[in-house]
Amino acid sequence: MKSLRRSLAATVLGLAALTAAAQERSIVMASTTSTEQSGLFAHLLPAFKRATGIDVKVVAVGTGQALDIGRRGDADVVFVHDRAAEETFVAEGFSLAREPVMYNDFVLVGPKSDPAAVKGKDVADALRKLAAGSAPFVSRGDKSGTHAAELRYWKAAGIEAPAARASGYKECGCGMGPALNIASSLDAYALTDRGTWLNFRNRGQLVVLVEGDSRLFNQYGVMVVNPARHPHVKKDLAQAFVDWVTGADGQATIAGYRIGGEPLFFPNAKSGR
């Protein structure tokens, strides 16, 4: 009887150890709403799990918030799209390296009737026209990569504080999907990454009005959180994700994600700028 009890106890302990090991084969990734709401992760992460057995739990927020999550050590890897902020993150010692992964572009959308007459290729010229009138413009206003890009474009248009200069300017403090929903309901203009736009179904009267400006280039990067700052970070599992997503299989999986035959992201891990 004692032998049986010992055997059962050993079995229970063994199962507990296996369960704990299985649970540890997961990482937390802080990323942007654009990678989540574009549908990319629903396509990409199952392929990664099949290849490695590693689960990825995504916290989808604006880029600024995602980087702050990494700074606190509440994520193992960060996948975002604001190169200047990413390089600062590395310089501060929160990651040892930033790896380019993929790119797409930003587009300015607005009502098909285009009351501000912004249609064209020059994003700065479009924003100057919006500032001169009263047409509504919905900004994410959330310190995301998209919001940071939007503020750069306003600055290029000679406008430092769009909230004060453009009477129709509205900040929602929300993700890309909700911002587009608000713009759709108001027949307003908005800046969006193309990936989220292609996956967005509630367009109403909104169409793409400004695209093709080289300044609208949108690069994504990935970084393992530095375990020297946060020893609990699952460095090896996080690095496995970085190696896979920047390697041949991950890059091919990104290239294979399309909606209506149109790619949402373009892999450029080895040549990303």
Side-chain angles (χ1 to χ4, degrees), residues 155-170:
K155 187 174 182 179
I159 299 167
E160 292 284 351
R165 291 280 302 278
S167 62
Y169 192 86
K170 305 175 188 302

Side-chain angles (χ1 to χ4, degrees), residues 18 28 50 52 73 90 102 123 132 184 201 242 246-248 266:
L18 287 171
V28 174
R50 287 193 298 271
T52 65
V90 174
M102 62 190 189
V123 66
S184 178
R201 296 287 177 262
V242 171
T246 60
F266 301 87

Side-chain angles (χ1 to χ4, degrees), residues 2-25:
K2 288 181 180 178
S3 176
L4 178 60
R5 282 199 295 269
R6 283 196 297 270
S7 177
L8 286 172
T11 300
V12 170
L13 288 172
L15 288 172
L18 287 171
T19 300
Q23 289 173 341
E24 289 171 2
R25 296 284 293 175

Side-chain angles (χ1 to χ4, degrees), residues 84-136:
E86 294 162 41
E87 290 175 343
T88 297
F89 187 81
V90 174
E92 291 171 343
F94 290 105
S95 177
L96 297 179
R98 167 196 175 272
E99 298 290 341
V101 180
M102 62 190 189
Y103 70 93
N104 62 6
D105 63 344
F106 293 110
V107 293
L108 185 68
V109 300
K112 189 176 181 179
S113 60
D114 191 17
V118 305
K119 186 174 177 61
K121 186 177 178 179
D122 189 324
V123 66
D125 183 59
L127 293 178
R128 279 191 289 269
K129 289 177 179 177
L130 284 168
S134 58

Side-chain angles (χ1 to χ4, degrees), residues 152-206:
R152 287 197 302 273
Y153 304 147
W154 283 108
K155 187 174 182 179
I159 299 167
E160 292 284 351
R165 291 280 302 278
S167 62
Y169 192 86
K170 305 175 188 302
E171 292 183 323
C172 70
C174 60
M176 196 67 257
L180 285 172
N181 277 320
I182 294 169
S184 178
S185 69
L186 297 176
D187 280 343
Y189 294 84
L191 183 78
T192 176
D193 67 285
R194 192 183 293 271
T196 304
W197 172 252
L198 289 173
N199 200 40
F200 182 62
R201 296 287 177 262
N202 184 33
R203 295 182 182 181
Q205 298 299 310
L206 300 186

